[in-house]
Amino acid sequence: MTVCDYKPGLEGIPATQSSISHVDGQQGILEYRGIRIEDLAQHSTFLETSYLLIWGGLPTKTELEEFEHGIRHHRRLKYRIRDMMKCFPEGGHPMDALQACAAALGLFYSKRALNDPLYIQNAVVRLMAKIPTMVAAFQLMRKGNDPVQPRDDLDYAANFLYMLNEQEPDPLAARIFDICLTLHAEHTINASTFSAMVTASTLTDPYAVVASAVGTLAGPLHGGANEEVIDMLEAIGSVENVRPYIDQCIKEKRRIMGFGHRVYKVKDPRANILQKLAEQLFEKFGTDEYYEIALELEQVVTERLGAKGVYPNVDFYSGLVYRRLGIPTDLFTPVFAIARVAGWLAHWKEQIRENRIFRPTQIYTGSHDQKYVALHERP
Ligand code: SDX
């Protein structure tokens, strides 16, 4: 092993072979199982796309109905999880609550039967079904309200908005939220998916795998950026302040939230779609005061940093969509997690077939042959 083989953060190093999704960072292309994200956003639903990602192909009508039925059957909140959440501090971040709840699900289904297709199918359905319910329940409980159980007559996306806002969502809002989930479902070997794969490679249970990935997604350089973007737009405060703000960021070499990407060196194709979704919501429900600032920000950052390949990523416009859907800012990343559970489970399923633990090596930079010095002999 030589120093030249070392790549910080494994940048550009293939860590696995996968047929789940493909990104072309130069062309700005994202495909799930070979289907372009633009087509899935326009024609598919999040549950159909999740089935495609996890089981490898578009479902038949019967397969999709069975998958949707399974999700409806398992999505009620477990009372013991509800009771556990009663002990969570109201000021805690919803991503920490979600990580705890995802891990806790493993207490109810602890038998690990990774060779049993039924165990795998049940784990997929239970996690896909229960994650949104737990996110919505924590939101209501930290406001001092009782959680709302899902309704069988509402589909996946509409149910989450119903459980969150305690009222049936507008059909356009529900459809746009469903598209957001599809857009966030999968993205090759990003940090949280890689975290899921490393955890999965030890053949632990899928609940621990998802809990591990949730913790990774929470970071501001990854899934947490969508929340930071809104804070940034609020701090900038006006279109006139955009240029001075960017100048200061560049001067201080500060990362601008919602911009840049390890793979995309053009505008993230998901950002293009999310921007159009935001404009659809603004047309029906009124614009967002931050949208003009966001447009100016995109223009100035592209002008100043486009040469470095720094363009809007998926997190730049998603927050403006979620604000208009009435989703609180600190739930933006849990919403990202609700969607990304599909990708994490797809890679979990693909990874356990490898049956090989992830164990990279290192370049040791410490010393050798040091003597042990007794405590009383130390200065
Ligand atoms: C997600 O991996 C995925 O697929 C993730 C994701 C997914 O779907 O799972 O797409 C979701 O996490 C999107 C990213 C959300 N994070 C942010 O918006 C946080 C801000 N972004 C940056 O922290 C950054 O762009 C990263 C972390 C996303 C990527 O960083 P890299 O690949 O390490 O970028 P780099 O260091 O190679 O950047 C090259 C140059 C550098 O300048 P120089 O040192 O060469 O002069 O571009 C600059 C960087 O300083 N740069 C930025 C910048 N991002 C890169 N400069 C200012 N602001 C930024 N946001």
Side-chain angles (χ1 to χ4, degrees), residues 134-150:
M134 297 189 297
V135 170
F138 181 70
Q139 171 61 8
L140 292 190
M141 291 172 73
R142 68 176 176 167
K143 291 193 312 187
N145 302 340
D146 288 332
V148 173
Q149 288 291 6

Side-chain angles (χ1 to χ4, degrees), residues 10-273:
L10 299 177
E11 180 166 357
I13 303 292
T16 188
Q17 296 186 95
S18 175
S19 59
I20 299 168
S21 66
H22 166 68
V23 170
D24 179 329
Q26 299 302 325
Q27 303 295 320
I29 292 171
L30 170 59
E31 294 170 330
Y32 291 173
R33 299 284 186 188
I35 303 176
R36 291 287 289 264
I37 190 64
E38 292 82 1
D39 291 342
L40 290 167
Q42 185 177 355
H43 303 297
S44 187
T45 64
F46 172 63
L47 282 187
E48 182 183 70
T49 296
S50 300
Y51 189 102
L52 167 72
L53 289 167
I54 295 166
W55 307 110
L58 287 170
T60 63
K61 188 170 179 298
T62 306
E63 288 167 336
L64 182 58
E65 285 168 355
E66 285 172 358
F67 186 49
E68 289 170 339
H69 173 76
I71 298 275
R72 266 197 304 278
H73 179 72
H74 282 285
R75 63 188 172 191
R76 289 181 66 82
L77 178 69
K78 280 189 169 298
Y79 291 125
R80 288 191 178 192
I81 296 276
R82 180 201 60 192
D83 295 346
M84 179 180 81
M85 279 201 258
K86 284 177 183 170
C87 304
F88 290 175
E90 291 76 12
H93 195 286
M95 281 298 274
D96 295 324
L98 177 56
Q99 187 174 30
C101 290
L105 278 180
L107 292 164
F108 297 92
Y109 313 110
S110 52
K111 180 174 76 69
R112 287 186 206 124
L114 299 182
N115 295 319
D116 176 358
L118 189 59
Y119 171 84
I120 290 175
Q121 181 180 314
N122 285 338
V124 164
V125 169
R126 284 174 181 140
L127 280 158
M128 292 283 303
K130 293 196 183 302
I131 295 282
T133 304
M134 297 189 297
V135 170
F138 181 70
Q139 171 61 8
L140 292 190
M141 291 172 73
R142 68 176 176 167
K143 291 193 312 187
N145 302 340
D146 288 332
V148 173
Q149 288 291 6
R151 277 177 34 183
D152 283 345
D153 62 326
L154 294 177
D155 69 20
Y156 194 88
N159 232 323
F160 177 73
L161 295 176
Y162 163 71
M163 290 188 289
L164 193 66
N165 299 321
E166 300 182 88
Q167 64 181 26
E168 196 168 324
D170 173 278
L172 175 68
R175 173 60 188 151
I176 284 179
F177 183 62
D178 190 87
I179 296 171
C180 288
L181 294 176
T182 293
L183 294 172
H184 286 81
E186 159 66 10
H187 209 251
T188 74
I189 312 302
N190 57 84
S192 55
T193 298
F194 185 57
S195 177
M197 290 164 63
V198 172
T199 308
S201 77
T202 69
L203 302 186
T204 185
D205 65 83
Y207 308 95
V209 169
V210 168
S212 173
V214 169
T216 308
L217 185 70
L221 292 190
H222 188 16
N226 52 19
E227 188 178 337
E228 304 271 335
V229 166
I230 297 301
D231 295 344
M232 173 180 66
L233 295 173
E234 187 175 16
I236 293 172
S238 71
V239 170
E240 295 69 35
N241 287 346
V242 167
R243 200 169 286 276
Y245 179 88
I246 296 302
D247 290 343
Q248 194 60 25
C249 284
I250 293 172
K251 186 177 168 200
E252 296 169 0
K253 288 189 92 49
R254 248 183 314 131
R255 297 297 176 99
I256 302 155
M257 292 294 116
F259 287 89
H261 199 277
R262 176 60 52 83
V263 181
Y264 290 121
K265 299 309 171 189
V266 293
K267 186 170 178 179
D268 188 325
R270 300 167 293 177
N272 282 317
I273 300 170

